[in-house]
Amino acid sequence: MKTPADPVRDYLSAVEREASALPADRRQELLADLAEHIEVTRAEHPEAGPGEVLAGLGDPRTIAGTALAEAGTGTAGAAWDRPRAAAPARRAKVHPSVPLLLITLPFLLATVVPDAPALQLCVGTLRIIGAVFLCTSVFWTPVQKTVGVLLAIALPATANIVWEVTTVAPAGDEPALVANLATLALLAATSTWLWRSRRA
């Protein structure tokens, strides 16, 4: 039985074929960037058909040729800037500092004022909003977003659950303060890394 045609899959396959001379990691980065751009464009312009979105990106051979040329000059990652210029611009709806501040500052506030249940709830909500902004941002790759959420949200939340529910953690205010400071250091380091690795 013949499977239905998938224009996006066929387009990415064509780019992959044309860019076969690229190193595997750079080729996969190019394909991931293209796939993400296609997904964002289709979400922002649901009325546009797949053909219209792909036409805006340009010819796969042109994209691959640009990628190969720029890989030779050591500027990988900008490989499809020229074809993308013809496509609708991906405007950032939220400044890249916003998710990083929402992930970090509320936890700092919760550390300073630990005995306020309503504040703790607000802190959790703000940090989740920060994670959503991070995951939907155009400033980071999917891998960077995943690492950021794991380090800034999942790991501290898991550690907090273990601390509160089990008897593994030592009792007393001093160990709790040390744990909070260690978490703040992790959040600050993660936010700094995300800020420095963001796309222009």
Side-chain angles (χ1 to χ4, degrees):
M1 180 173 148
K2 189 174 180 181
T3 57
D6 183 344
V8 173
R9 183 188 60 205
D10 294 344
Y11 182 89
L12 294 175
S13 296
V15 173
E16 186 173 17
R17 280 195 309 274
E18 296 293 340
S20 60
L22 274 176
D25 58 337
R26 293 185 177 180
R27 187 168 64 250
Q28 291 307 314
E29 182 182 358
L30 171 64
L31 294 172
D33 282 348
L34 283 168
E36 183 183 8
H37 180 73
I38 292 168
E39 181 181 345
V40 171
T41 303
R42 293 179 74 177
E44 292 179 349
H45 304 278
E47 73 284 356
E52 184 180 347
V53 173
L54 297 176
L57 285 173
D59 183 69
R61 185 173 298 177
T62 304
I63 292 176
T66 305
L68 289 165
E70 293 184 346
T73 62
T75 54
W80 52 291
D81 280 349
R82 274 179 273 170
R84 179 172 56 181
R90 292 172 61 192
R91 292 183 300 274
K93 296 178 181 177
V94 177
H95 192 273
S97 64
V98 173
L100 306 185
L101 291 174
L102 285 174
I103 285 171
T104 307
L105 291 185
F107 190 89
L108 174 61
L109 182 60
T111 302
V112 174
V113 189
D115 299 322
L119 177 62
Q120 300 297 328
L121 179 61
C122 290
V123 164
T125 302
L126 288 174
R127 283 172 46 76
I128 290 172
I129 293 172
V132 171
F133 282 158
L134 174 63
C135 290
T136 56
S137 175
V138 299
F139 292 102
W140 294 282
T141 66
V143 172
Q144 290 170 332
K145 294 174 185 179
T146 302
V147 172
V149 170
L150 287 175
L151 291 179
I153 303 296
L155 184 58
T158 303
N160 187 57
I161 291 171
V162 171
W163 187 283
E164 295 292 339
V165 175
T166 69
T167 57
V168 174
D173 292 337
E174 188 173 336
L177 178 60
V178 171
N180 284 337
L181 290 176
T183 302
L184 277 173
L186 174 64
L187 295 180
T190 303
S191 295
T192 301
W193 169 70
L194 286 170
W195 179 258
R196 289 181 176 176
S197 63
R198 74 191 187 284
R199 292 170 174 162

